[in-house]
Amino acid sequence: MAHSSACRPADNPFASSRIDMLDYRFPACTIDDLVTGLSHSHHRGAIVGPHGSGKTTLLENIGARLEGEIVWIRLNAEDRTPGAKARAHLPEILERRHVVLVDGAEQFGGWAWWRFHRRIRTAGAIIITSHRSGRLPTIYECATDVGLLAELVKQLAPQMADSIDFDEVFDRHDGNIRLCFRELYDRCAGSGARGDGVP
Amino acid sequence: MTLRIDITHDRQWHLPGENVSGRAVWNLDAAPEAVELRLFWHTSGKGTQDVEIVKDLRIDNPAASGERDFSFSLPLGPYSFSGSLITLAWALELVALPGGDTERVQLVVAPVPAEIRLESLGRGPAGHSIHIGPSKR
């Protein structure tokens, strides 16, 4: 599909600022079910799922529902020493009132995670996202499907929805919704993937 | 509840280095802890958003209704621009604290009376970058 007129980045329906405003979509339960269920795991839990499946969005949604002093730790693959970065975000003393949210806990190696987990064990709640299970009890597994992609696109850019082959886009990015949005951003920008360094 | 920013002569476009002046007006249900007027630029587009507050004017413990003249000197850059990946936009924002009710007015800060469109600048030789803003000395 080609768009005849390119739109400004600020007006692009797939701009990151618009995507950040989307809430996580639950196929079956609700966020209230999930927050209530946290008490069964002593307010410790992991949100597990592949890249671009909504883990960060869900963690942000949960964080907004929890009472307490939120300590956000966001890790990514570029962090060479995730343990040091994570510890730098922590207050000196973690108490019951603290809620520690760790996005990207798979960046910790086994030993680094063990040390970090020992450091934060006094917090009232610890919720992490990870690509794999095992670090904390899994409280939710994020997954995507073509229907979810279509639903989100219809919300962001209803005028585009009829012209998108959702199956094709979804398959091309192995179900990574974030990458699907980036492709659709480029379509709206009329740029394809320029890669020429022009911002 | 009203929050309003009146810019002198209703001018949205300003040259880099110029003054932007006007009046901040608020009429709230209750007296806020403070009202704050911020001059800032922000990016939006494909990647992470950047924001920089360049100037601010804070009025502590104001009455529920009031107004305050302001005058901010704009910096020499960055210019307002749009490429394919990001838009950089300037704005004035009036915020009532702590509730966070907000009024925002967009500005264009550029040497020409519209944001700069990078695609109209053409492409430089491979490996060269395009500098958006005043020349560096």
Side-chain angles (χ1 to χ4, degrees):
Chain A
M1 183 204 65
H3 281 262
S4 55
S5 59
C7 65
R8 295 167 67 239
D11 302 328
N12 194 308
F14 299 97
S16 57
S17 55
R18 295 169 194 240
I19 291 168
D20 289 346
M21 291 173 74
L22 294 172
D23 285 331
Y24 187 80
R25 306 293 175 96
F26 290 91
C29 64
T30 67
I31 192 159
D32 290 330
D33 297 335
L34 199 56
V35 171
T36 304
L38 272 171
S39 59
H40 300 306
S41 60
H42 306 287
H43 293 92
R44 265 78 176 142
I47 300 164
V48 177
H51 288 287
S53 58
K55 300 184 298 296
T56 303
T57 302
L58 179 53
L59 186 62
E60 287 171 346
N61 288 172
I62 290 174
R65 296 294 189 98
L66 294 177
E67 292 179 4
E69 192 172 322
I70 304 284
V71 179
W72 260 108
I73 297 167
R74 298 175 192 267
L75 303 173
N76 58 55
E78 281 96 56
D79 294 322
R80 289 172 177 263
T81 53
K85 178 180 176 182
R87 285 193 299 276
H89 283 81
L90 297 175
E92 197 162 326
I93 298 171
L94 274 169
E95 299 171 340
R96 297 287 300 169
R97 64 192 165 90
H98 289 108
V99 174
V100 179
L101 305 178
V102 184
D103 188 27
E106 72 278 352
Q107 303 303 329
F108 287 106
W111 172 241
W113 169 252
W114 184 83
R115 285 184 60 195
F116 180 71
H117 190 217
R118 263 181 71 85
R119 171 74 174 79
I120 62 175
R121 64 188 169 179
T122 50
I126 305 168
I127 306 172
I128 66 171
T129 70
S130 182
H131 292 150
R132 52 187 181 272
S133 58
R135 299 252 140 120
L136 289 176
T138 298
I139 55 169
Y140 194 80
E141 287 189 39
C142 292
T144 61
D145 57 38
V146 176
L148 174 65
L149 175 62
E151 186 184 331
L152 293 171
V153 169
K154 282 172 188 162
Q155 180 178 342
L156 290 167
Q159 72 283 7
M160 276 182 74
D162 290 341
S163 59
I164 296 171
D165 184 336
F166 291 111
D167 289 304
E168 183 194 30
V169 175
F170 186 84
D171 289 345
R172 182 160 46 248
H173 297 295
D174 294 325
N176 183 329
I177 300 274
R178 191 188 311 126
L179 292 183
C180 295
F181 285 157
R182 287 183 184 166
E183 178 183 328
L184 296 171
Y185 177 99
D186 287 336
R187 290 192 193 185
C188 285
S191 64
R194 287 178 65 141
D196 57 4
V198 176
Chain B
M1 182 211 76
T2 306
L3 287 166
R4 202 175 73 234
I5 302 169
D6 297 329
I7 298 179
T8 305
H9 304 310
D10 219 8
R11 265 184 70 196
Q12 193 197 15
W13 167 53
H14 288 79
L15 288 166
E18 258 192 339
N19 270 4
V20 55
S21 61
R23 180 170 293 169
V25 181
W26 62 96
N27 184 0
L28 305 168
D29 298 334
E33 283 183 19
V35 292
E36 196 166 289
L37 181 68
R38 299 164 182 160
L39 170 68
F40 68 103
W41 59 259
H42 64 102
T43 64
S44 50
K46 194 172 182 178
T48 310
Q49 297 179 80
D50 287 320
V51 178
E52 183 170 325
I53 297 174
V54 176
K55 301 271 172 64
D56 60 36
L57 171 66
R58 183 182 170 100
I59 302 145
D60 286 311
N61 305 311
S65 298
E67 56 186 45
R68 174 73 66 91
D69 290 341
F70 66 87
S71 179
F72 290 138
S73 174
L74 288 162
L76 296 177
Y79 299 161
S80 302
F81 76 90
S82 272
S84 61
L85 296 181
I86 60 169
T87 293
L88 186 147
W90 282 87
L92 281 164
E93 188 174 73
L94 182 62
V95 187
L97 301 171
D101 293 320
T102 300
E103 169 67 8
R104 185 181 287 196
V105 174
Q106 298 290 335
L107 301 174
V108 172
V109 179
V112 291
E115 73 171 7
I116 293 168
R117 300 300 294 260
L118 295 192
E119 64 266 34
S120 68
L121 296 179
R123 297 179 189 184
H128 289 238
S129 61
I130 297 170
H131 176 68
I132 302 298
S135 59
K136 292 176 180 171
R137 299 180 69 99

